[in-house]
């Protein structure tokens, strides 16, 4: 039999390009409160309908509804709001610092603040996070010093990483924040190894890792799922689906064919797909997964469905590849505004209080920045001594590095 | 002192470290129940339980990545890559992650893992079971690279590698796992039992990383070799009658520059031997180092005897392999120049 049909290749294409009017009305968005909440001790299979669903708690009116409502008290909610607002102001300040030439590079997490912040709050302070470059909210919600973060960005004399890392590639063991790698995805299986070690030692701490939708195509993503499942590592594996990997939409990572949460199914892991702009849903899902890990029930894969509202980085101009107003049309809204509306609906928050909060945090970020700049900025100094370049390659400096250090004359 | 072959010596090293340090774990493909395809880990799971010695998925990147994470936690994982040829899937985790973790976190996080991998030819393993990838890793700042040539050294160096706080690539010359190699493949293989270097103490001892060993003193020419090639170099010295000083480097990075320089200054001549392909091989580094430090003492050009710049051909292993004939020829050329 002859096949008359010429074969054709499919090249994914996002729905909208610059100049198009973005219209997400055909997006299937399950109602808040509709997704069932299996017991944390449930079988992985019992979660599998949830990998295609979307766990949402906050409805359009700002009410918390359904079985996933974590029932947080207003004080905790206000703390969450505060960290999210702080993260946004911090991003804004640092982005401007880059524009002013005080550093080479910056990456904001605009539109994704609920992820870093809610997850940090749902985890224990001692749990170890293996983030990407877009979870600065983790450090902020762990009350890590903004000055310390800024000094890293400025590669200045107080940079704990001694000017070795690209700005935003923080590291703080003390804050439970693993050193960020520029090679995408590598942290995912490392988090599994850390979690395996914790289980091996009979520790109580669990690990959590984050990866972007684009980076799920990397082999390391699959290795992480294999090892996590095989050894039932106490780890939470988060995929931040913000729709875009620089200019490539999530279809190039296989997102046209299925959800990212559904990757859990083939590995036998429990999987949850969560509205990433819903502070309460993110909190609840993380809490669920953490409880499971702590009960020795192993890993959970979570897809956080969100939108990267600003540029990929300061080197990127998203209006070249997507409609400029696409983020405003994103049907799941802005995480900060949604939590604010919820607190207002609860009668626990007023516009005046919000304005005062923004003002207070703007001032504190400004003060932190002033202090950080007094320790130097990129190119204008002061910096740590260049001779530190030869330190930490090995625990003890070998003779050839000593000789090279002498040769530099620094 | 008991006689051990290299496999037994390596096993003894892991046994001792598993015994001494609860933070030491051993894992990799088939290493648990079965004891590894070369049986290096045989009996260790029985002795220490499958919590400490276990099998892994066939995913070299996953093996190394999880070991990096374990190292960051504070454990000392010892992982086996079944053959050095299969280390390539894990190179990103080794080169970009393990090697740089201490540096990029300014000492906040470290990756004290040991990666064991049998390397080299001599067992008719074809292209995919015979390679020597050591030069790739010596080029990476932050990794140490160790290659033993005797059971005694293998045990002492492996213990030192496991105790080392940096990531160590530990390449095991599988041609001499069971016995030394006199370089003459037509002769029957002799077991390590009759070799003095197979006298291996039962207990704990270490050989510091970064110290070479002068295995044969001589005045006419210095031979720099490691792993299987140490035995080839010794055979070549015998066969040629050249009074060669043979240095077993033992650690390629950090390199024992002093021992090399002292010897070449004395002999005025140098031959470098390795099994890996020549272009970009570690022999280039050794030649450069000798030239930089001993130029005015040299009486002949530095010679390189290496594998050819082809993949390892299965049926022509002995034509590919730099045997004692080729090394002897280089020795003669060096002394006659
Ligand atoms: C291994 C590797 N390949 C390519 C890059 C270059 N790169 C940096 S960020 C990025 C896009 C990542 O997208 P995604 O994982 O979706 O994360 P997001 O930026 O959207 O948060 C790429 C391709 C890299 N850093 N590492």
């Amino acid at each position: 039999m002859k096949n008359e049909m010429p074969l054709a290749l499919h090249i994914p294409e996002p729905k909208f390009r610059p100049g198009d009017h973005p219209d997400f009305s055909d997006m299937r968005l399950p109602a808040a409160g509709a997704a069932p909440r299996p017991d944390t001790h449930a079988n992985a299979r019992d979660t599998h309908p949830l990998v295609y669903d979307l766990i949402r708690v906050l409805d359009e009116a700002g009410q918390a509804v359904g079985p996933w409502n974590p029932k947080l008290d207003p004080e905790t909610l206000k703390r969450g709001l505060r960290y999210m607002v702080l993260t946004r102001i911090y991003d804004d300040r640092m982005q401007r610092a880059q524009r002013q030439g005080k550093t080479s590079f910056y990456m904001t997490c605009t539109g994704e603040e609920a992820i870093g912040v809610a997850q940090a709050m749902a985890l224990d302070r001692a749990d170890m996070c293996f983030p990407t470059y877009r979870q600065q909210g983790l450090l902020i919600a762990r009350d890590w010093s903004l000055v310390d973060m800024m000094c890293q960005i400025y590669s200045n004399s107080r940079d704990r990483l001694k000017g070795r890392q690209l700005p935003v590639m923080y590291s703080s063991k003390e804050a439970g924040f693993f050193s960020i790698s520029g090679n995408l995805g590598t942290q995912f299986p490392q988090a599994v190894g850390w979690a395996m070690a914790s289980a091996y030692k009979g520790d109580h701490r669990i690990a959590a890792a984050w990866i972007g939708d684009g980076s799920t195509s990397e082999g390391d993503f699959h290795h992480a799922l294999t090892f996590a499942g095989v050894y039932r590592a106490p780890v939470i594996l988060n995929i931040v689906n913000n729709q875009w990997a620089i200019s490539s939409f999530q279809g190039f990572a296989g997102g046209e064919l299925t959800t990212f949460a559904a990757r859990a199914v083939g590995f036998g892991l429990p999987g949850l797909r969560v509205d990433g702009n819903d502070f309460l849903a993110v909190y609840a899902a993380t809490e669920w997964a953490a409880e499971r890990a702590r009960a020795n029930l192993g890993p959970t894969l979570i897809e956080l469905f969100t939108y990267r509202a600003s540029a990929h980085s300061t080197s990127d101009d998203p209006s070249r590849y997507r409609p400029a107003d696409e983020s405003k049309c994103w049907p799941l809204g802005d995480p900060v505004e949604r939590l604010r509306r919820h607190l207002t609906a609860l009668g626990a928050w007023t516009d005046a209080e919000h304005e005062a909060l923004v003002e207070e945090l703007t001032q504190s970020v400004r003060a932190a920045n002033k202090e950080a700049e007094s320790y130097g900025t990129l190119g204008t100094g002061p910096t740590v001594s260049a001779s530190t370049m030869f330190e930490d390659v090995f625990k003890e400096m070998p003779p050839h590095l000593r000789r090279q250090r002498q040769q530099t004359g620094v | 002192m008991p006689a051990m072959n290299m496999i037994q010596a390596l096993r003894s090293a892991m046994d001792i470290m598993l015994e001494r340090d609860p933070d030491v774990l051993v894992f990799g493909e088939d290493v648990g129940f079965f004891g590894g395809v070369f049986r290096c880990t045989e009996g260790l799971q029985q002795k220490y339980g499958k919590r400490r010695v276990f099998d892994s998925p066939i995913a070299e990147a996953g093996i190394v990545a999880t070991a990096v994470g374990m190292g960051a936690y504070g454990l000392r994982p010892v992982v086996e890559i079944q053959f050095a040829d299969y280390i390539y899937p894990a190179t990103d985790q080794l080169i970009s992650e393990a090697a740089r973790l201490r540096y990029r976190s300014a000492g906040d996080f470290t990756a004290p893992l040991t990666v064991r991998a049998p390397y080299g030819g001599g067992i008719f393993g074809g292209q995919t079971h015979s390679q020597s990838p050591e030069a790739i890793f010596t080029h990476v700042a932050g990794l140490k690279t160790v290659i033993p040539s005797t059971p005694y050294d293998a045990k002492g160096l492996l213990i030192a590698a496991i105790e080392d706080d940096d990531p160590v690539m530990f390449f095991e010359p599988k041609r001499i796992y069971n016995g030394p190699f006199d370089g003459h493949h037509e002769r029957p293989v002799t077991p390590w039992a009759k070799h003095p270097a197979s006298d291996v103490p039962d207990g704990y001892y270490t050989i510091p990383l970064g110290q070479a060993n002068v295995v044969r003193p001589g005045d006419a020419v210095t031979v720099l070799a490691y792993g299987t090639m140490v035995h080839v170099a010794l055979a070549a010295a015998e066969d040629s009658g050249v009074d060669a000083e043979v240095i077993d480097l033992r650690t390629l990075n950090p390199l024992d520059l002093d021992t090399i320089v002292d010897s070449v200054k004395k002999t005025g001549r140098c031959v470098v031997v390795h099994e890996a392909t020549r272009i970009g091989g570690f022999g280039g580094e050794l030649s450069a180092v000798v030239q930089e430090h001993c130029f005015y003492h040299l009486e002949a050009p530095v010679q390189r005897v290496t594998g050819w710049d082809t993949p390892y051909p299965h049926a022509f292993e002995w034509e590919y392999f730099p045997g004692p004939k080729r090394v002897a020829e280089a020795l003669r050329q060096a002394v006659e120049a």
Side-chain angles (χ1 to χ4, degrees):
Chain A
M1 225 193 342
K2 199 160 168 260
N3 182 1
E4 304 282 352
M5 181 89 153
L7 298 170
L9 195 64
H10 171 68
I11 309 292
E13 186 59 33
K15 273 201 257 171
F16 315 110
R17 283 299 191 187
D20 293 341
H21 176 65
D23 174 8
F24 292 103
S25 57
D26 66 340
M27 197 191 262
R28 203 182 66 87
L29 285 182
R37 183 185 186 281
D39 187 79
T40 47
H41 281 61
N43 223 299
R45 267 166 180 262
D46 298 333
T47 68
H48 288 169
L50 290 171
V51 305
Y52 302 106
D53 207 328
L54 193 66
I55 295 170
R56 306 180 65 205
V57 174
L58 287 172
D59 69 11
E60 313 308 320
Q63 300 292 339
V65 293
W68 283 94
N69 181 3
K71 304 212 166 73
L72 301 175
D73 59 69
E75 285 319 303
T76 308
L77 293 171
K78 281 189 212 169
R79 234 165 15 97
L81 184 67
R82 183 184 179 87
Y83 289 136
M84 286 209 281
V85 171
L86 180 55
T87 303
R88 192 164 286 184
I89 293 170
Y90 171 80
D91 270 352
D92 182 56
R93 187 73 209 78
M94 290 296 98
Q95 167 127 325
R96 277 189 288 130
Q98 191 276 337
R99 298 283 185 238
Q100 293 163 348
K102 291 173 184 163
T103 185
S104 57
F105 177 79
Y106 192 70
M107 300 178 104
T108 70
C109 66
T110 316
E112 302 173 38
E113 293 89 346
I115 292 164
V117 171
Q119 297 201 278
M121 289 175 68
L123 290 167
D124 196 274
R125 180 64 167 68
D127 295 333
M128 183 61 81
C129 298
F130 289 75
T132 77
Y133 42 69
R134 236 182 274 286
Q135 281 84 46
Q136 48 268 58
L138 290 170
L139 279 170
I140 289 175
R142 286 185 164 182
D143 295 314
W144 193 248
S145 149
L146 294 185
V147 175
D148 189 280
M149 293 168 73
M150 288 166 168
C151 289
Q152 196 280 322
I153 288 164
Y154 291 143
S155 291
N156 65 17
S157 57
R158 294 282 179 101
D159 173 11
R160 57 167 53 227
L161 306 182
K162 307 182 192 176
R164 292 170 187 169
Q165 277 273 53
L166 199 62
V168 314
M169 304 265 175
Y170 314 104
S171 173
S172 171
K173 191 174 187 173
E174 222 184 306
F177 190 97
F178 188 72
S179 150
I180 294 176
S181 177
N183 291 43
L184 293 171
T186 52
Q187 74 286 357
F188 228 51
Q190 291 168 3
V192 174
W194 194 99
M196 288 168 70
S198 185
Y200 169 78
K201 292 296 271 185
D203 195 345
H204 304 288
R205 296 177 292 165
I206 64 171
W210 287 261
I211 196 170
D213 48 281
S215 308
T216 60
S217 310
E218 290 282 359
D220 276 333
F221 171 76
H222 302 86
H223 301 136
L225 267 58
T226 300
F227 279 71
V230 166
Y231 300 109
R232 304 226 183 114
V235 62
I236 305 176
L237 297 168
N238 298 293
I239 303 165
V240 182
N241 176 6
N242 64 9
Q243 312 303 319
W244 293 93
I246 312 184
S247 71
S248 306
F249 89 113
Q250 44 86 17
F252 283 100
E256 278 185 341
L257 299 165
T258 185
T259 68
F260 290 96
R263 303 273 187 248
V265 178
F267 289 88
L269 307 182
L272 306 174
R273 188 160 173 268
V274 181
D275 177 350
N277 291 11
D278 178 340
F279 178 89
L280 293 177
V282 176
Y283 188 102
T286 310
E287 198 179 35
W288 187 93
E291 213 174 296
R292 235 183 121 83
R294 286 186 219 289
N296 276 318
L297 295 167
T300 300
L301 187 72
I302 300 179
E303 174 183 348
L304 299 145
F305 191 69
T306 182
Y307 188 90
R308 193 195 76 215
S310 62
H312 171 74
S313 73
T314 46
S315 316
D316 174 49
D317 173 9
S319 70
R320 304 276 296 264
Y321 53 80
R322 67 186 191 189
D325 59 346
E326 194 179 82
S327 73
K328 295 196 179 61
C329 301
W330 184 247
L332 293 174
D334 173 42
V336 177
E337 287 310 311
R338 282 177 69 188
L339 183 57
R340 176 184 174 180
R341 196 183 317 142
H342 175 55
L343 270 162
T344 309
L346 288 180
W349 198 237
T350 64
D351 286 355
E353 279 175 300
H354 197 81
E355 274 158 37
L357 177 73
V358 171
E359 179 56 23
E360 178 211 329
L361 296 176
T362 304
Q363 290 309 330
S364 70
V365 168
R366 192 170 294 159
N369 185 55
K370 208 167 155 210
E371 184 185 340
E373 283 191 16
S374 77
Y375 305 133
T377 57
L378 186 70
T380 58
T383 60
V384 291
S385 159
S387 70
T388 60
M389 166 165 82
F390 298 95
E391 295 169 3
D392 304 314
V393 180
F394 298 101
K395 188 176 183 201
E396 317 287 351
M397 194 179 297
H400 69 282
L401 286 181
R402 272 183 211 292
R403 275 193 301 276
Q404 289 174 19
R405 187 174 61 177
Q406 275 160 13
Q407 283 167 22
T408 64
V410 288
Chain B
M1 237 184 281
M4 292 187 198
N5 64 27
M6 193 181 282
I7 290 174
Q8 293 163 329
L10 291 163
R11 184 188 306 141
S12 171
M14 287 185 272
D15 190 352
I16 285 168
M17 290 313 292
L18 283 161
E19 174 92 54
R20 284 168 77 99
D21 185 351
D23 289 341
V24 171
L25 293 186
V26 172
F27 66 101
E29 295 157 23
D30 301 303
V31 306
F33 185 79
F34 182 57
V37 290
F38 288 99
R39 324 316 307 270
C40 265
T41 56
E42 189 170 37
L44 295 179
Q45 185 177 74
Q46 251 173 324
K47 189 165 174 191
Y48 296 99
K50 57 186 186 146
R51 215 177 121 251
R52 309 222 25 221
V53 181
F54 53 86
D55 292 329
S56 78
I58 305 171
E60 291 74 15
I63 292 169
V64 172
T66 49
V68 169
M70 291 175 182
Y73 179 95
L75 301 185
R76 290 185 182 278
V78 181
V79 300
E80 178 176 299
I81 302 293
Q82 211 154 59
F83 288 87
D85 311 67
Y86 307 133
I87 219 159
Y88 304 115
T91 43
D92 185 44
Q93 284 289 339
L94 289 165
I95 294 174
S96 315
E97 302 298 314
R100 291 197 221 138
L101 185 56
R102 177 190 296 281
Y103 194 72
R104 75 181 200 217
S105 69
D108 222 5
F109 296 98
T110 61
L113 65 153
T114 304
V115 180
R116 292 180 40 241
Y119 87 98
I123 64 152
F124 288 94
Q127 300 173 35
T128 55
H129 300 79
S130 309
Q131 294 169 66
S132 303
E134 68 276 8
I136 294 171
F137 299 100
T138 58
H139 187 58
V140 179
L143 293 180
K144 292 180 177 171
T145 301
V146 179
I147 304 184
S149 70
T150 66
Y152 180 86
D153 280 10
K155 177 170 172 180
L157 288 167
L158 182 57
I159 292 178
I162 296 171
E163 287 185 336
D164 198 278
D165 290 325
D166 295 310
V168 181
M169 306 298 299
F170 196 91
F171 290 110
E172 300 167 3
K174 59 180 171 292
R175 177 63 186 76
I176 53 174
Y177 261 166
N178 288 302
F181 179 49
D182 71 358
H184 300 275
H185 57 274
E186 65 284 1
R187 292 189 206 153
V189 176
T190 53
W192 274 111
K194 298 194 183 85
H195 197 287
S198 71
D199 285 344
V200 178
D202 266 329
Y204 171 95
Y205 69 95
T206 61
I207 295 178
L209 306 187
Q211 284 184 15
N213 189 19
V214 180
V215 290
R216 182 190 195 278
D219 284 316
V221 52
T222 299
V223 186
L224 303 179
Y226 49 89
T228 307
M229 289 300 125
V230 172
H231 303 276
V232 173
L234 289 170
E238 290 311 312
D239 293 357
S240 64
V242 173
D243 185 20
E245 178 149 295
V246 178
I247 297 180
D248 175 0
L249 297 174
R250 296 200 289 208
T251 307
L252 307 191
N253 190 0
L255 187 65
D256 183 353
L257 196 58
D258 293 346
T259 301
I260 296 171
V261 171
D262 287 352
S263 174
V264 177
K265 281 186 176 168
K266 179 181 74 176
T267 62
R269 295 175 156 87
C270 182
V271 171
V272 172
V273 190
H274 65 59
E275 196 180 336
T277 47
R278 174 173 306 208
I279 295 176
F282 194 64
E285 175 64 23
L286 292 171
S287 309
V289 153
V290 168
Q291 185 274 133
E292 276 166 10
H293 295 269
C294 311
F295 185 74
Y296 295 107
H297 297 263
L298 282 176
E299 290 169 51
V302 178
Q303 304 260 351
R304 281 187 289 169
V305 187
T306 67
W308 308 125
D309 287 322
T310 70
Y312 225 114
H314 176 247
F316 306 110
E317 185 152 284
W318 298 118
E319 284 74 20
Y320 177 92
F321 193 83
K325 238 168 86 191
R326 275 163 61 194
V327 178
E329 181 55 30
L331 294 181
R332 276 190 291 265
Q333 274 183 25
V335 290
E336 282 162 17

